[in-house]
Amino acid sequence: MTSIQGFSGLELPELILRAGADPIRIEASTADIDPCTGERFADIPAASPADVDAVVEAAHRAFRNPAWRDLHPLARERLLHRFADAIEADLPRIAALEALDTGKPISIVETLDIPTAISWLRAYAGWPGKLAGRAAPLSATPGAFHAYSRREPIGVVAAITPWNFPLVLAMWKIAPALAAGCTIVLKPAPETPLSALRLVELARAAGLPDGVLSVVTGDGATGAALAAHPRIAKVAFTGSTATGQAILAASVPSLKRVTLELGGKSPTILCKDADLATAIPQAAMGCFFNSGQICYAGTRLYVHRSIYDEVLDGIRTVGAAQRIGPSADRTSQLGPLISARQHEKVSGFVQRASDAGITALPAGGPIPDAGYYFAPTLLRDVPSDAEVMREEVFGPVLATAPFDEIEEAIALANDSAYGLAAHVFTRDLTTAHKASAALEAGTVFVNCILLADPAFPFGGMKMSGIGRENGSEVLDAYLEPKSVVMAL
Ligand code: NAD
Ligand code: MN
């Protein structure tokens, strides 16, 4: 039992990695630091390439194990629901671990992060019996052949995930991979390994065979060893564009399948006919929620010139109403940034914007003295070539500019290397549909923000990624089609 400030009595998961049933000995470690205090509370094992190899080989054995491979679809579905039941029963503990690790407000982790992860597992639990191939008459030689296709699990999957939504983004990969019949090795971010370690304990308790879901902890070197391992058939990655590029390069020697969900600089267009009572709070929280640490946050706000000042005032009011505080405090609504490094990075962006003559306005606070807190900040009249208009800040910093015509706003919105999400606030249906078609983004939100659902695909155009997660589309990433052709 560890006594951790704010979470007294919270029991950490076993900080042990396993190759199938066997614990593996690991010499190196990384520090896990509470973002609310800056204090180290645990040492997390850092897996070497040899440790990674042992875990991947165990995952490969598990992939061939009839207890997993030959599980009939309904048995697989039931097993995934039992896994979801186990997480549900563990909700207070896994939520506390996630809140401690990320610094997010506990009330948000309990009501959003963990339930979201569970709902993804249940949504994909419904798929195993529905992953059918097809039979079709051949055009070339009618009547001479019977041909059909099968959809087979691709093999051992590596999931490499970031620290902003650790359990949710892991489950976006685990749920479809398991539904497809793959086995999976998850490497969480070194800042936030606890929910992943707890998750494998729950998977074992729910009866998933050894090696079907494993975790290796460590930093980028551990991730690189996993991403390059020849036994890995597919890598599912969420994180920075630079690391995504390194993972894609590492996939080349063994031609791994890769999906990348990367950064963004998602625009929000706020038209003069928008319902400001709902548009203003959403434009604010679309950037400030989770202290801006969201890949598809709306971080560039274009507002019709006639309402620019009114909207900016409104956003500052919304930001100021957010209570910023530690994760264990049930009244907190915004937490700190994840690390000293992220705090430096975000501060640097705002400092350089100010140095360049851009007006920075406070849009929230006060913030606690200790920890890596950063108050919501609004930047006004930001030129389109400014660094803060082009680069992902990953903090609660909203860059804004006025526009006159919708065509101009769409051109500004599309003037980005990224293409993850885009938002339009308008009550005009024509504007909504025309903008939705014209915006270069994987998801367009009309009069709403921050919605992901297992029902529809999520991912990026341009430098925001390759492939899609969620929807039925994600299953293609974990299945290999095979055609069977038989002479009659
Ligand atoms: P990162 O992309 O480097 O880390 C994400 C994951 O990749 C972690 O698990 C990390 O250990 C692993 N990793 C790092 N290098 C690797 C490599 N060469 N091969 C395989 N795995 C590797 O992100 P970061 O350094 O934690 O954050 C940097 C920036 O990335 C942030 O400031 C933010 O702009 C962006 N970011 C984006 C997202 C997102 O959801 N799109 C999430 C987190 C961070
Ligand atoms: Mn942590």
Side-chain angles (χ1 to χ4, degrees), residues 160-164 169 187-191 218-225 227 237-244 246-247 261-264 294-296 341-342 345 392-394 420:
I160 301 178
T161 49
W163 37 259
N164 53 340
L169 294 175
K187 201 216 65 78
E191 295 86 353
D219 59 14
T222 303
F237 173 73
T238 302
S240 67
T241 296
T243 299
I247 285 172
E261 202 270 275
L262 308 176
I294 299 185
C295 52
Y296 64 127
R341 182 178 137 224
Q342 280 301 118
K345 188 182 157 190
E392 183 175 57
V393 175
F394 233 62
L420 195 49

Side-chain angles (χ1 to χ4, degrees), residues 36 103-106 324-336 368 373:
C36 300
K104 289 176 199 243
I106 180 69
I324 304 174
S327 49
D329 181 342
R330 292 201 162 268
T331 68
S332 297
Q333 293 168 301
L334 294 179
Y373 294 92

